[in-house]
Amino acid sequence: MSAMRMFKRGWLQRCATFAAIALVLAAMSYPARAEESERDAEAAGLVALATALEHGEGVQKDETQALALYCEAARQGDAEAQFSIGWMYANSRGIPRNDAIASYFFGLAAGQGHEHAQRIQHLFGPSASDPPDCMRPPRIEAQ
């Protein structure tokens, strides 16, 4: 493994650790928001793992699994996950390009103040009118 790859992996792990510590401290400071902070921490963890899978950073590259994890975090309202899904659709990253779906996800992220999504959303035309399948809760098959 190259020194640069080891550095990137270590850096990502440190960032995730610092983010988790910050969320724990915020939850301790604001007990009424503890449940919301737990959801935020869960979504942040999903996004970190999805990003690693999308790019093959420290794990086997798996864009299908990355999309599934981004979708789970996006349903929880995570703007970074919403932006990342839009990016995958906009750039055919493991899925067919679909500008309407990309615009839908960029719109969700932009609505939450995601700056990059706000800057590029207009480039993709009108957004999908119905929520994509990804934003619907997974179906539980009857046994």
Side-chain angles (χ1 to χ4, degrees):
M1 183 178 295
S2 73
M4 185 57 136
R5 182 170 273 171
M6 287 174 40
F7 172 77
K8 284 182 182 178
R9 183 188 303 173
W11 183 81
L12 286 172
Q13 290 171 339
R14 284 190 296 278
C15 286
T17 300
F18 290 134
I21 290 170
L23 287 172
V24 168
L25 291 175
M28 290 171 50
S29 301
Y30 302 101
R33 295 183 45 114
E35 184 176 314
E36 185 177 321
S37 293
E38 286 176 25
R39 281 194 308 270
D40 291 346
E42 179 185 346
L46 291 170
V47 170
L49 179 55
T51 301
L53 288 164
E54 180 186 359
H55 300 285
E57 296 173 350
V59 295
Q60 179 75 29
K61 187 173 184 173
D62 186 343
E63 292 167 327
T64 302
Q65 184 62 31
L67 181 62
L69 293 172
Y70 281 140
C71 287
E72 189 173 335
R75 284 191 302 273
Q76 293 177 26
D78 187 273
E80 189 62 34
Q82 294 163 351
F83 174 80
S84 295
I85 296 168
W87 191 257
M88 289 181 79
Y89 275 103
N91 293 288
S92 300
R93 294 190 61 103
I95 50 178
R97 181 181 173 115
N98 187 317
D99 287 353
I101 294 176
S103 182
Y104 176 89
F105 283 106
F106 290 147
L108 290 177
Q112 294 190 71
H114 193 284
E115 290 181 30
H116 198 181
Q118 291 171 339
R119 286 194 305 268
I120 67 171
Q121 180 189 12
H122 73 280
L123 300 173
F124 293 91
S127 112
S129 56
D130 292 327
D133 289 340
C134 175
M135 292 304 286
R136 294 184 181 102
R139 293 183 207 180
I140 299 174
E141 298 293 326
Q143 294 182 3

